[in-house]
């Protein structure tokens, strides 16, 4: 993976603080995920190709821009779902291809339970959406799946990342870009990000048991 792009912005710091706070409700958590996803999207979409399009304003003819590539959003279930709507708001023509992966609690290894990618016609640019990059197992499996589908341009959007996951992705996927709001200190013995924000999927869907 290329060197990660880490957002450096006061709004990112403030929304991240809400996300990390254990007192934050699910409704507020979802809202912060949406806001941070938009800020990540701004960073990750900067290099998208555009083509010229002729339009007529109420005043005169002019040349505008339209996105030139077929774009896929690839949320990793469940938590990645929270990042889809803000991305769709910004790129309404995107295709959405869900990947179901969960991390086995004993081994911390990813288990795939849903993928409906067709055998051919991959998207040209894929944005992998997951609020958390911990060991990197889920991200690695998602990227491997997309590379096998034939996607050459993959960008990962992760709200919070651990150094361990970044190291793994950098070694295994030199061609992939990562945009993240923050790189935390480390993983703990249960492979949870420290200081982290807990389990994003549970906090988004209010399923903390
Ligand atoms: C979390 C998170 C990532 C993964 C990160 O999902 O949303 O997908 O773990 O860990 P990794 O980098 O070590 O693979 P989880 O397995 O808790 O599933 P959920 O989204 O359904 O809660």
């Amino acid at each position: 993976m290329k060197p990660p792009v880490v957002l450096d912005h006061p709004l990112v710091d403030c929304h991240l603080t809400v996300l990390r706070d254990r007192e934050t409700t699910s409704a507020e958590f979802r809202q912060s995920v949406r806001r941070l996803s938009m800020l990540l999207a701004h960073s990750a979409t900067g290099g998208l190709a555009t083509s010229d399009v002729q339009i007529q304003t109420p005043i005169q003819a002019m040349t505008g821009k339209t996105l030139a590539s077929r774009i896929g959003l690839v949320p990793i279930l469940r938590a990645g779902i929270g990042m889809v709507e803000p991305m769709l708001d910004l790129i309404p023509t995107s295709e959405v291809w869900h990947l179901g992966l969960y991390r086995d609690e004993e081994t911390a290894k990813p288990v795939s339970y849903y993928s409906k990618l067709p055998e051919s016609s991959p998207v040209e640019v894929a944005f992998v959406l997951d609020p958390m990059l911990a060991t990197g197992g889920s991200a690695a499996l998602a990227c491997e799946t997309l590379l096998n589908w034939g996607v050459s341009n993959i960008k990962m959007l992760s709200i919070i990342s651990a150094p361990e996951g970044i190291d793994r992705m950098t070694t295994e996927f030199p061609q992939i870009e990562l945009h993240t709001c923050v790189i935390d200190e480390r993983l703990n013995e249960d492979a949870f990000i420290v200081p982290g924000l807990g389990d994003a999927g549970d906090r988004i869907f209010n399923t903390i048991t």
Side-chain angles (χ1 to χ4, degrees), residues 76-79 101-103 108 130 132-138 199 201:
I76 300 182
L77 308 182
R78 292 172 300 163
L101 304 177
Y102 73 88
R103 204 171 72 157
D130 194 331
M132 303 175 77
L133 177 73
T135 65
S138 306
D199 183 306

Side-chain angles (χ1 to χ4, degrees), residues 39-144:
L39 294 165
L40 277 175
H42 177 264
S43 167
T45 54
L48 284 179
T50 56
S51 47
D52 289 349
V53 59
Q54 302 306 316
I55 59 159
Q56 185 83 39
T57 76
I59 310 299
Q60 67 164 49
M62 66 163 281
T63 305
K65 298 283 182 194
T66 188
L67 286 174
S69 315
R70 212 178 121 213
I71 292 172
L73 308 180
V74 184
I76 300 182
L77 308 182
R78 292 172 300 163
I81 291 173
M83 302 174 74
V84 172
E85 281 298 327
M87 288 295 290
L88 277 176
D89 279 348
L90 292 171
I91 317 175
T93 52
S94 303
E95 300 169 27
V96 183
W97 295 98
H98 299 82
L99 289 181
L101 304 177
Y102 73 88
R103 204 171 72 157
D104 183 280
E105 283 182 12
E106 301 290 314
T107 63
K109 298 257 186 296
V111 180
S112 170
Y113 61 91
Y114 183 86
S115 173
K116 292 276 186 190
L117 298 179
E119 286 190 1
S120 57
S121 31
V123 295
E124 291 166 286
V125 184
F127 292 95
V128 178
L129 309 178
D130 194 331
M132 303 175 77
L133 177 73
T135 65
S138 306
L141 185 51
C143 290
E144 201 180 299

Side-chain angles (χ1 to χ4, degrees), residues 21-41:
D21 189 340
R22 59 185 288 177
E23 301 301 326
T24 295
T25 64
S26 271
E28 293 164 337
F29 192 91
R30 288 192 291 273
Q31 185 88 275
S32 295
V33 166
R34 266 199 292 278
R35 290 169 176 155
L36 289 165
S37 300
M38 285 205 163
L39 294 165
L40 277 175

